[in-house]
Each structure stands twice: as structure tokens, then as C-alpha cells.
């Protein structure tokens, strides 16, 4: 197995390897050690989508990771930065970030920071902060607020996929087709059709402790609610999650009214510029993330 770099910390000697060359079970064990809910299949999707590095100790344990997903030629979304709790605050996280930056020279960087990691990213120059609320809980559709919406909501079909990609590009400013290639086969979708055109959609897939509603792309929060309600109904009584920018107050109220309380928050950050930017200010935007890792 090829060694990419080495670092001595305390009694550890860390060797950096291509993340795809280490046992995925060890990656899962690392994310469990910091309390993250990812399943093996969540890791699997990320490994198919992106690249990354694993820091391995002398006896083969994975003690740190960082990944990145390339959206288009010049944008890298950093994710899955984790270091083993025993190893933290000794420079391993910064070292992994430095290597990820080096391996993506020339790219614009974005990420979603946990509370723990925000200061570290700020010290690396990240800014353009946007608060993201993690809402989760047992889905309760009967409590969902009713909103009037113009148009027809129906399940997404394979023939809609091009429209979904077009809306996503308008909402994020990036060609995220690689993410959709992984998301679409494992998701159920709803679309809102108005004047024969798809104007909003939502996807929902198994993730972590249950299912996640994301991405939801819409130009208004009412449209976003219209395409999300069916997922709440489908998963009534089971665990559902959605990550939404805090500025979406109406949508957040819908989530809370549907059993998904605000559990935690993260911060979307960019290095040198905002990571995601709608092409038009009144056009489609991200109402929920696919996940914190995928954006
Ligand atoms: C966030 C995380 C990856 C940071 O990893 P880490 O190995 O502790 O990172 P570092 O040691 O490089 O930096 C952490 C802090 O320790 C400080 N530090 C670095 N080297 C140090 C040293 N030798 N002695 C004391 N402090 C040190 C850094 O300045 C940094 O401080 P800051 O937050 O004020 O900038 C780690 O805490 C973690 O895995 N958390 C759980 C998962 C998570 O939230 N990941 C982030 C995803 S967005």
C-alpha cells in the first residue's frame, strides 16, 4: 500500500494512505468513535463519490480521515474530517486539511463544519458562514402544517432527472451530477409541476438512524413543504432527518411541526468565496442538504 506522508504525534506515528485502500469497517469504527450516525452504506456512497485520505497508526488502526467531493472542475467540498478522540488537539486535523488542500490545488473549497471544527476552519481562512439546522425525530404527519400550493405534486420519475439536475445547478452554482448518480438510485423523489415545468423537488433516502429528506430544491419554502410532505407521511412513526439553512424559518417550522426538532447546528463555510450560490436570487435554492458531507 502506498504511503502518502508521515506524521509523529505523541506516541503515534501516522501514515497517510488513500482512503479507498483501507478497510471500510475501520472507517465506520472511527465515525462511531466521535458519535456520528453514518452506516456502512453511507460511507460506501461517499467512497464512490469522492476521494480522501486515511491516517493509519503503526498497528493499522484508522485514526483520522478527510474526504473531498469534486463538483465541476474547480470546486471541492471537504467532508468526513475526523480524528480519534485520543488524538485530538495535537495537530492531526489541521495536517489532514493541509494535505486535502494540497491535493486539490487551484480548487475553490467549501464544507459544512460541526461546532467542534469551526474554529479550526476559521484559522485556515474559511468564512462566508451560513448556519445549517439539523432537524430530526419521529415523523408525525398529522401535526404537519397545511400550506396552499399552486401546481401538482407527484412522485419523481426517471424521465425527470434532467430537470432535477437543472434545478440543482441553478440552486448551487455547481454541476453535481456525480452526487445525483449516487443519490437517485437509493432515493424516492417528489416533484412539483407548475405550468408543465418542474419547479421544485425533494429526495428522501435511508441515512444514519433512519431516513433523510434531502436534497430539497425550491424557489420558495411553501413549494419545498409541498414536495416534502409525502416523505413525512411515508415515514410516519419512524426516524426522519433534514438539514436546512436557518434562514428557512417557514420550512423549519414545518419540520418541527412534523416531529423533527432542532437537534444541533452546523455551519456552511467557504474558502475565498461562498461555497454554494444560486444563479438567480429569486430562483431555486437549497432548502435542505443531501447531507452535511454531500452539501
Ligand atoms: C474537528 C476535529 C477533526 C479536529 O481534529 P484535531 O485533530 O483535534 O485538530 P487539530 O489538533 O489540528 O486542531 C484542533 C485544535 O487544537 C489546536 N492544536 C493543534 N495542535 C495543537 C497542539 N500541538 N497542542 C495544543 N493544541 C493544538 C488547534 O489550534 C485547534 O485549535 P482551534 O480549534 O482553536 O483552531 C476533531 O475534533 C474531530 O474529529 N471531531 C469530531 C468530528 C468532527 O466534528 N469533525 C468535523 C467535521 S466538519
Amino acid at each position: 500500500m502506498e504511503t502518502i506522508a508521515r506524521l509523529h504525534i505523541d506516541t503515534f506515528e501516522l501514515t497517510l494512505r488513500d482512503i479507498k485502500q483501507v478497510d471500510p469497517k475501520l472507517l465506520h469504527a472511527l465515525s462511531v468513535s466521535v458519535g456520528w450516525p453514518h452506516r456502512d452504506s453511507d460511507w460506501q456512497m461517499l467512497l464512490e463519490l469522492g476521494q480522501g485520505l486515511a491516517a493509519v497508526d503503526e498497528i493499522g488502526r484508522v485514526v483520522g480521515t478527510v474526504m473531498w467531493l469534486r463538483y465541476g472542475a474547480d470546486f471541492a467540498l471537504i467532508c468526513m474530517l475526523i480524528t480519534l478522540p485520543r488524538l485530538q488537539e495535537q495537530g492531526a486535523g489541521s495536517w489532514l486539511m493541509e494535505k486535502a488542500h494540497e491535493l486539490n490545488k487551484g480548487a475553490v473549497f467549501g464544507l459544512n463544519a460541526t461546532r467542534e471544527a469551526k474554529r479550526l476552519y476559521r484559522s485556515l481562512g474559511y468564512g462566508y458562514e451560513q448556519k445549517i439546522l439539523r432537524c430530526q425525530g419521529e415523523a408525525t404527519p398529522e401535526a404537519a402544517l397545511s400550506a396552499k400550493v399552486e401546481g401538482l405534486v407527484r412522485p419523481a420519475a426517471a424521465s425527470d432527472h434532467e430537470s432535477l439536475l437543472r434545478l440543482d445547478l441553478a440552486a448551487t452554482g455547481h454541476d453535481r451530477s456525480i452526487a445525483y448518480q449516487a443519490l437517485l438510485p437509493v432515493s424516492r423523489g417528489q416533484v412539483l409541476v407548475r405550468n408543465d415545468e418542474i419547479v421544485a423537488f425533494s429526495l428522501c433516502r435511508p441515512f444514519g438512524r433512519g431516513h433523510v429528506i434531502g436534497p430539497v430544491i425550491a424557489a420558495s419554502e411553501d413549494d419545498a413543504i409541498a414536495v416534502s410532505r409525502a416523505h413525512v407521511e411515508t415515514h410516519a412513526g419512524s426516524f426522519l432527518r433534514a438539514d436546512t439553512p436557518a434562514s428557512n424559518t417557514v420550512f423549519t417550522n414545518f419540520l418541527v411541526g412534523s416531529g423533527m426538532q432542532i437537534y444541533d447546528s452546523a455551519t456552511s463555510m467557504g474558502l475565498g468565496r461562498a461555497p454554494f450560490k444560486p444563479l438567480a436570487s429569486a430562483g431555486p435554492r437549497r432548502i435542505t442538504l443531501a447531507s452535511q458531507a454531500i452539501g
Side-chain angles (χ1 to χ4, degrees):
M1 218 185 272
E2 194 197 347
T3 298
I4 298 171
R6 277 186 210 284
L7 177 72
H8 286 268
I9 288 185
D10 198 7
T11 56
F12 288 90
E13 184 187 281
L14 306 187
T15 304
L16 218 46
R17 304 209 184 279
D18 181 342
I19 200 165
K20 297 189 190 193
Q21 292 185 3
V22 302
D23 181 351
K25 291 223 162 11
L26 301 178
L27 301 175
H28 185 232
L30 180 68
S31 59
V32 167
S33 80
V34 295
W36 282 11
H38 297 68
R39 314 170 185 192
D40 283 331
S41 54
D42 300 324
W43 267 106
Q44 202 47 53
M45 179 183 283
L46 290 167
L47 292 168
E48 279 163 25
L49 269 177
Q51 280 90 46
L53 298 168
V56 178
D57 72 3
E58 299 92 325
I59 57 165
R61 287 176 301 191
V62 172
V63 296
T65 52
V66 65
M67 291 195 72
W68 54 90
L69 315 181
R70 295 294 297 240
Y71 292 150
D74 63 350
F75 181 75
L77 187 71
I78 302 273
C79 59
M80 306 311 278
L81 178 73
I82 305 175
T83 59
L84 195 69
R86 262 184 69 197
L87 202 69
Q88 288 172 6
E89 302 203 334
Q90 300 186 74
S94 319
W95 183 60
L96 286 162
M97 282 299 290
E98 192 186 301
K99 298 292 170 199
H101 285 163
E102 271 173 32
L103 289 168
N104 288 280
K105 248 194 204 110
V108 169
F109 293 93
L111 50 78
N112 291 298
T114 57
R115 288 167 197 280
E116 288 158 272
K118 201 156 99 178
R119 264 196 10 212
L120 168 65
Y121 297 135
R122 278 186 182 157
S123 73
L124 297 172
Y126 281 80
Y128 300 90
E129 298 182 7
Q130 182 188 32
K131 189 170 181 178
I132 309 288
L133 301 177
R134 170 176 170 183
C135 301
Q136 63 183 50
E138 190 185 306
T140 52
E142 66 277 9
L145 309 171
S146 64
K148 267 190 264 151
V149 71
E150 240 180 86
L152 169 80
V153 177
R154 61 159 174 80
S159 55
D160 298 329
H161 291 175
E162 247 175 61
S163 302
L164 309 195
L165 287 176
R166 178 181 47 78
L167 285 171
D168 190 84
L169 174 65
T172 64
H174 301 295
D175 174 0
R176 299 204 297 169
S177 37
I178 58 153
Y180 281 84
Q181 276 164 26
L183 293 169
L184 287 167
V186 293
S187 302
R188 292 200 169 194
Q190 293 284 320
V191 297
L192 173 63
V193 183
R194 190 178 289 143
N195 302 326
D196 292 330
E197 196 190 345
I198 295 177
V199 294
F201 72 90
S202 65
L203 298 183
C204 182
R205 69 181 192 284
F207 177 81
R209 292 172 55 194
H211 283 74
V212 64
I213 302 177
V216 176
I217 305 287
S220 79
E221 294 180 67
D222 284 344
D223 287 358
I225 292 169
V227 291
S228 300
R229 185 170 286 123
H231 301 305
V232 178
E233 282 160 12
T234 302
H235 298 291
S238 59
F239 184 89
L240 205 49
R241 167 174 173 174
D243 296 82
T244 187
S247 51
N248 294 324
T249 50
V250 176
F251 190 78
T252 303
N253 285 341
F254 158 75
L255 294 176
V256 171
S258 304
M260 285 166 267
Q261 307 299 321
I262 300 169
Y263 174 80
D264 198 1
S265 70
T267 309
S268 164
M269 302 174 91
L271 187 61
R273 58 159 234 218
F276 293 102
K277 220 168 166 192
L279 299 183
S281 57
R285 62 182 200 275
R286 280 188 316 165
I287 305 284
T288 75
L289 278 54
S291 69
Q292 289 188 6
I294 299 174

